[in-house]
Amino acid sequence: MIGSPRHHPALPPNADRWDESKLGDTPDVDTVLVARTRAGDVAAFESLVLRHLRPVYQLARRTLPAGTAADEIVVDVFVRAWYNLQPCDRTPAEFRTWITTATVQMCREANTRQPRAHPHR
């Protein structure tokens, strides 16, 4: 499984300054984290990743055929999220809905790229 981005060497030294516990667990947490991410707050994006990592990974595992690396899809989904949340782009209305849709789309793309086994060969 994917390790915690908190310990990733590419993150800046102040990446852990964001304390999500200050927000509580209200429906608006993602909205605040998306806004902070769009403002360039890497730690807010890290919180989004940590909040959604498990459901995205589980969805990828259920959607992909056996033997397909769900980890790679999950990484690609969050990379896509990072670029789609930049200030010049449109903000998804509901991050959870957007990230779920992106996961399903990327799994479908992976399924079409993967060669199918031919039972009669």
Side-chain angles (χ1 to χ4, degrees):
M1 179 89 182
I2 298 169
S4 170
R6 183 172 306 279
H7 303 294
H8 195 282
L11 290 176
N14 62 348
D16 61 350
R17 76 183 187 288
W18 178 254
D19 183 5
E20 184 183 341
S21 65
K22 294 177 186 173
L23 293 173
D25 195 22
T26 67
D28 296 327
V29 171
D30 285 346
T31 304
V32 171
L33 292 173
V34 166
R36 303 258 334 195
T37 298
R38 292 188 77 210
D41 188 339
V42 174
F45 182 69
E46 177 184 315
S47 290
L48 276 171
V49 170
L50 294 175
R51 284 174 59 80
H52 296 280
L53 183 61
R54 176 172 284 212
V56 167
Y57 181 77
Q58 290 172 341
L59 177 60
R61 289 288 308 257
R62 286 192 315 265
T63 307
L64 292 167
T68 305
D71 288 353
E72 293 176 22
I73 297 295
V74 172
V75 169
D76 291 345
V77 165
F78 285 108
V79 168
R80 182 181 285 184
W82 173 256
Y83 285 109
N84 282 315
L85 291 176
Q86 294 310 304
C88 61
D89 295 320
R90 187 169 65 94
T91 301
E94 280 285 328
F95 185 78
R96 182 179 306 252
T97 302
W98 184 89
I99 201 80
T100 300
T101 302
T103 303
V104 170
Q105 287 173 344
M106 294 190 83
C107 288
R108 285 181 183 156
E109 291 169 12
N111 285 338
T112 59
R113 285 191 309 259
Q114 187 173 20
R116 303 211 187 276
H118 295 284
H120 300 293
R121 287 191 182 178

